[in-house]
Amino acid sequence: MVQVTLEDPVLRGYFLCSSILVAKVLFMVYFTGRARFSKKVFINPEDVPLVKDLFDINDAVCKHDDVDVERIRSAHLNDLENIPLFIFIGFIYVLTKPDSETALNIFKTYMWSRIIYSISIALGLPRSLKDQACVISYLLKIYMTLVCMVKFY
């Protein structure tokens, strides 16, 4: 049986990086809403009358193709697709009792690659930066998954 305690640096590093990524997802909700209000662009037709009444934004519209809003929304949706997988496989990976330095580097690299990915999408930075961050985070999830499969086979 695997003993995991809160004194384990791998578990603590996993919890810290996972918490930062969850906070990032929550911030993306704020940034998406902020972009919608600043551009006066809302996704659901039923939101437009509500916004006009509550916030006195008379020129609010329902639109699905505003570039600025869609960039931020895309980054948010991508987080919702990828970060839960990291949280899941990362915890199982912790149970394999990996080398502390390796595991902490994986967690930190994954966290920073997701942050860079979102920033590069939201700000429209060069595609190569976004692509590299995406590939790095994807390969790290694959690595952790393979380690878990081998360890628990």
Side-chain angles (χ1 to χ4, degrees), residues 136-152:
I136 289 168
S137 65
Y138 186 71
L139 291 175
L140 290 172
K141 283 187 298 210
I142 288 174
Y143 173 78
M144 289 188 294
T145 301
L146 291 174
V147 168
C148 292
M149 290 168 63
V150 168
K151 176 71 176 187
F152 296 116

Side-chain angles (χ1 to χ4, degrees), residues 1-3 5 9 14 38 81 88 102 108 122 127 130 147:
M1 180 143 152
V2 177
Q3 288 289 100
T5 67
Y14 163 75
S38 69
E81 293 170 359
F88 178 75
T102 303
K108 290 176 196 174
R127 182 176 176 89
K130 173 190 80 111
V147 168

